[in-house]
């Protein structure tokens, strides 16, 4: 490889903290280029900043726009083997036009027309679905048909076969979250095609999946079922339970007891019933309920988050950006960007009008590798 | 200490595997006695058997007898500071008349008269309550009032303050399980008196304890609550959920799916929602449902169990003992004794008539220390 | 079972905290006896004390006496199948003449005559050997010949085949530590005979066992060796390393750095190189070095310990007992008994004259089950 | 944001698995661009390949070239605050000219002139040093001076203060390994400047660091030292031990016992003595010894590795590349690329002439997140 076609390009520049620009330095840099070497002293500011300075930026996607474009795609883009899914992903403005909501997280709206099937496949990428509105699609995971309704959260750890079927006469949309960018940068991905068609026996819509019948009983573990694969064996976390857990926390607070994150701010984390840890090895998922007229503390955390407004409306502030948000809107909080929420103040303070935020993050990566930090400002 | 008052007594005996009885051996043994020494070769058969040979024996206690005597005690034995609880414990016939159901487990019927209080205390012994019939008492654990109704299981890890109150006009009985014998032999016990009277504010009977409002939502962890003390933060596992989990397993089996222990035999383990492990560090608790007319495999396990029949009737076999059992009856399965159950065959096979068995064991001790073994014979 | 032959014996006594002695109470107690029941209120003081009150007492065994009696046994008691080992165990004075040094720990002197073999067997009891003086015996564990020399510590987790051989022309003594009493009370024991004779190939005395060649390199794990059985894969912890680690701590202290337990008191714990935890699931083993003229703080801990003086001399205080001790002497510290040591003050303070104490305890049982407590008084 | 300045660029192309190119599709894609959306169906091949297809390529850097350029840099580039280190990093040819040896690992040669200091700082990036030749520099980590000599490995987990000093009259070079790229892509980095000068008291060259005196005793844990920060407390793994561990494995193999990875191939992993796990949360480090004339099996693994030849010579094959390598040469193995080694056949087979390979990888990231896979072909 000659210098001229080396991918390394080094410029000797006059700057504090940089060596004097001399012919010798220029010669040294040509030697570096030739040998594919880059000195630390020209790069340290970018590589080793005082604190995380994300390549991503805060950004908001409006649900109505996503839904409109997804519906358009429903009309003209078929679903089938090869493309696999009618999924349309958020591309953070400063990540080079790649379909990465944040440097580690993928988020897409998926759309299935009446009677359509998305063919079976499996991949090492950890995934979930969350339903902000609609119903009628079920996901078959390892032969277990899991219904999808508003508010339901369906985690699905890597390397499980899965397909989707829309059993109704209406199209349905939901969001998919995956660790595609993380597995892309670490280069961990495997992918395999499954059956093109699921069996008739799987084309049923049970009220509850088999996984729920085994695992969705609080504090009860089936003795005979061994679960050793990564992630949660529970394939659906129904909204009914999430809603009640959040309401309970706010009621406890009103009675004077601990339970909420801060006044008026309840939150639950979806957890793996076999070990209490995160539902997916690389993704944490939470739901936050901010009662009417409440402003949360400002939090900065290592790692990035994607939020979707599940219900209610309010104002969110991420770094220098402030947006009014309402049902379905999605936004990202890059690493170490300050984040706070103010829910809309109502005339009454009934829970049903609170601002409910669905959130997912790469926090398990940071915690497992002991890289997590958090700062809260009140 | 002279030989004559030494607690060590050694007899030189003529037996295979024993040294020849000579004056020298007798003198050696006197030397051992004087120095408080005991040779392995006289004891090895007892101390190091080929497999566990329990000092305890299988035994059955009839609920009607327990209840009758507990009611008698209710009339003449007050509850108060010092005696602490009107609890009457099972004494395994071969454990020296001590109140030990097995070498590691304590089991008692506790009885509280209308309006009575059992004063607050705490101890390192891990404990639980299980209600085979009745209702109306609540247990206050760390200020949290936990109602008790038929089928409810209330774990309570060591060193938590607790008191009982009977808020009704009827007496109520339940069973207490503790690791008193285990902590007695290992000498780990601490005990402390609390308030003699609980406050009026605690004399309420909420439908659900605060612990349930925080922790009894399947797969949902309150983000803001840190639980670091041993054992489960969930203070009541209501029968409603246990019943449904067991029914679900049997239904899955009928539909051709995995989930049961063996045909017609469903079982759940109560687990700590924060880590999926046992509810108490030293005690595992399970509920088994054996459908009508089913005979289970014969199982031998290290460690001991106590069972109580929660519902239905049938026949249980423990080692050489076979008993007909019905609601409330309690029996013990000593370490390594073969155990099987046959539920009563009914005319119909509805679940509600199945044999439901509540079980607790010292399995966590064995598993944590890697001493567990199991053998199943079908 | 009639009342008269019931093992339960209840006396109605006039005492504070006891119910009034009435004919009804006497009748109730007869009913309890008949049904094999024992009330809590007569037993609570013994079963649930304010803090552990050990059934064992502090006691000292002089090494010279043990050695003398072991040598006598060497002359007249053969070693062979059935008796298995010429091991003579410490019997705590208040544990009923049983060979239990403490309620959970067995300690014995083992003695092997020149050329003698102790036959192969295995058992679930976790065991170790420690050599206070002598050399020349090797232990074959799973076919790996492990030499034994002064100061060496040989852990051997349960269910490993093992035999001993004295390859020299001198008798040799050492101490065995096991969890026999713990496994006796919990009823976990399995035992199996192995070969009567080890092979000639195993009758070698390598300088280092194979286990040491794989595992005794600090911070280095053999990539190709999977170790999944309980306990440490390292079968000998040579004195050379222990001695150096203790000296290093005292030197660091002199240079002004942290490392010692308290001034003049160094201590190491033998650990499993695969996980850094205790070498045996139920037994912790430590060596303490107390520099000349140092008095340690007084410590109380749940769980019991056995100590052997490895070198030096001094005074130990256990509860109300104080003894002068010297090389080889063994003593026990029952649960929650205060313990302190004062090493003999010398003319110089060289390390080689320090008081070295070998210690083993049941601490892993307490820590794993979260029952451990400690109090230090300075 | 208008379409024209959107970072998203979507081309409707005629291809199997792609929707038909129609005006409607083009309009849809313009809509996607405007809303910063990217469909899965155009990206799936790149993002979700059948197996990892690294963006990096296998590449070799010759030590003589590195050393020559580093020495040149020594003459003209000062070391000081701002640039921080005279470190020159390997830039994989296909990673855009960035100083990333692989997508997750940074590798640099560092060079310190006689008497020079590299100023104190700390960062969350996990780091290590490895010395292929030379000596005389010591690294001060948290005030503990750690000498550096040929073969020594010095791990240093994130957020520890550290500085370097060359105490000799010769320049010294070594390699630095860090997880800079991994923390760059996940955005976890914090950095802080420390003292510009270390104290005179720290300018000593002890034979062993304090960390070694506490932690480098095999299987011995200092009782009084609590280590809770991430990574190993042992700051130097001296070559003497590594060398002996590798020789021992090959000797065991010759005697017919297990221990090596495969015939003639010994390997050790540096491990944290407190838990037996990897020395750094994100980096695994190993040393492999391939006896003369041995060819290893071909291995494919998720995750990437960097190797440096410590001693000997031979031929390495990575994917389609085969190189002759000798002391100091560095090469990378990208994710899932097949890798094998053939050591030079010598006239004798003495160990001292074996091929010794130092290796580090991002394996802990994959294992902790359960993304690891391996395939071995013999």
């Amino acid at each position: 490889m000659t210098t001229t076609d080396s991918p390394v390009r080094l410029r000797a520049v006059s700057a504090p903290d940089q060596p004097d620009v001399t012919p010798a330095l220029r010669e040294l840099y040509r030697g570096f280029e030739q040998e594919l070497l880059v000195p630390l002293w020209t790069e340290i500011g970018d590589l080793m900043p005082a604190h995380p300075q994300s390549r991503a930026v805060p950004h908001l996607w409006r649900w109505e726009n996503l839904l409109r474009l997804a519906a358009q795609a429903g009309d003209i883009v078929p679903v089938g083997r090869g493309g696999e899914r009618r999924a349309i992903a958020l591309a953070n403005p400063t990540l080079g036009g790649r379909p990465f909501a944040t440097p580690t997280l993928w988020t897409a709206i998926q759309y299935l027309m009446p009677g359509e099937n998305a063919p079976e496949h499996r991949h090492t990428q950890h995934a979930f679905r969350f339903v902000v509105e609609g119903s009628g699609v079920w996901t078959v995971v390892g032969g277990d048909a899991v219904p999808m309704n508003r508010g339901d959260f369906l985690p699905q750890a890597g390397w499980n076969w899965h397909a989707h079927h829309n059993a109704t006469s209406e199209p349905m949309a939901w969001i998919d979250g995956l660790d595609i960018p993380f597995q892309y940068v670490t280069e961990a991905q495997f992918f395999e095609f499954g059956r093109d068609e699921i069996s008739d026996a799987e084309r049923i819509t049970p009220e509850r999946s088999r996984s729920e019948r085994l695992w969705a009983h609080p504090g009860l573990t089936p003795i005979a079922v061994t679960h050793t694969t990564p992630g949660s064996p529970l394939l659906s976390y129904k909204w009914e339970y999430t809603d009640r857990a959040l309401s309970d926390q706010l009621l406890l607070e009103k009675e004077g007891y601990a339970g909420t994150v801060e006044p008026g701010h309840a939150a639950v984390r979806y957890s793996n019933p076999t070990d209490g840890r995160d539902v997916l090895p690389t993704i944490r998922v939470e739901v936050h309920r901010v009662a009417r007229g409440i402003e949360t503390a400002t939090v900065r955390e290592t790692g990035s988050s994607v939020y979707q407004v599940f219900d209610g409306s309010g104002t969110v502030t991420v770094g220098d950006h402030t947006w009014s948000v309402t049902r379905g809107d999605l936004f990202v909080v890059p690493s170490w960007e300050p984040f706070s929420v103010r829910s809309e103040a109502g005339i009454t303070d009934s829970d049903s009008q609170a601002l409910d935020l669905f959130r997912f993050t790469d926090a398990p990566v940071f915690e497992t590798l002991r890289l997590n930090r958090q700062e809260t400002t009140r």
Side-chain angles (χ1 to χ4, degrees), chain A residues 46-66:
Chain A
D46 179 41
L47 295 178
M48 304 183 99
H51 59 73
Q53 295 189 322
S54 185
R55 287 162 293 134
V57 289
H59 195 77
L60 174 79
W61 288 258
R62 293 284 174 202
W63 183 240
E64 59 183 338
N65 293 334
L66 294 185

Side-chain angles (χ1 to χ4, degrees), chain A residues 58 67 76 80 109 223 231 301 318 352 372-373 376:
Chain A
L67 207 54
I76 60 173
I109 182 172
I223 287 181
E301 286 177 285
V318 188
S352 63
N372 56 310
R373 292 203 190 185
T376 302

Side-chain angles (χ1 to χ4, degrees), chain A residues 107-329:
Chain A
T107 313
I109 182 172
Q110 193 175 153
Y111 199 82
L112 214 52
M113 298 294 279
E116 268 188 342
N117 295 306
E120 196 181 51
H121 60 213
R122 64 177 176 176
H123 42 70
T124 51
Q125 286 89 352
H126 301 296
F128 70 81
R129 284 138 222 125
F130 180 69
V131 183
V132 74
E133 55 186 22
S135 63
V137 166
W138 34 261
T139 294
V140 179
V141 182
D144 188 7
V146 190
M148 293 168 68
N149 293 292
R150 171 159 159 81
D152 293 348
F153 166 71
L154 288 82
Q156 179 206 283
W159 217 236
N160 287 293
W161 294 113
H162 58 284
H164 306 293
H165 178 68
N166 186 340
T168 71
S169 56
E170 296 294 324
M172 182 179 165
W174 64 91
I175 66 160
D176 288 334
L178 290 97
D179 60 2
I180 289 177
F182 179 76
Q183 295 208 26
Y184 180 80
V185 294
T186 54
E187 308 190 330
Q189 326 100 312
F190 290 81
F191 183 94
E192 208 171 351
F193 294 123
R195 299 169 297 170
D196 286 347
E197 293 284 331
I198 55 171
S199 68
D200 284 349
E202 291 164 303
R203 286 171 198 275
I204 49 159
T205 309
E207 202 187 314
R208 290 186 302 150
S209 62
R210 300 201 301 270
S211 79
E212 289 163 90
R213 291 152 79 193
L214 286 173
W215 291 103
H217 309 285
L220 297 170
T221 300
I223 287 181
V225 181
T226 305
H227 176 75
T228 56
T229 55
S232 178
L234 179 54
L235 298 176
S236 178
Y237 292 68
K238 285 209 191 317
W239 176 249
E240 166 193 1
Y241 303 121
T242 307
D243 183 42
R244 195 181 306 156
L246 294 168
S247 298
D248 274 352
Q249 285 186 18
L250 290 172
L251 285 169
L252 281 167
E253 181 185 294
K254 275 190 194 154
E255 296 170 21
Y257 298 112
T260 53
V261 176
E262 56 192 333
H265 177 186
V268 291
R269 177 170 59 80
Y270 293 114
S271 58
N272 180 338
T274 69
D275 60 13
R277 299 179 65 183
D278 285 297
V279 281
L280 296 170
T282 54
I283 304 179
R284 169 166 301 167
V285 190
E286 302 170 346
V287 183
H288 292 250
R289 173 164 292 172
V290 183
R292 300 207 80 163
I294 289 288
E295 176 160 16
T296 66
T298 298
V299 176
R300 306 214 289 187
E301 286 177 285
T302 47
S304 56
S305 297
V306 179
Y307 284 85
Q308 184 173 35
V309 178
F310 179 69
D311 212 345
S313 54
T315 306
V316 300
T317 300
V318 188
D320 297 334
H321 297 67
T322 295
W323 306 289
S324 286
V325 293
T326 189
R327 186 187 286 192
D329 291 349

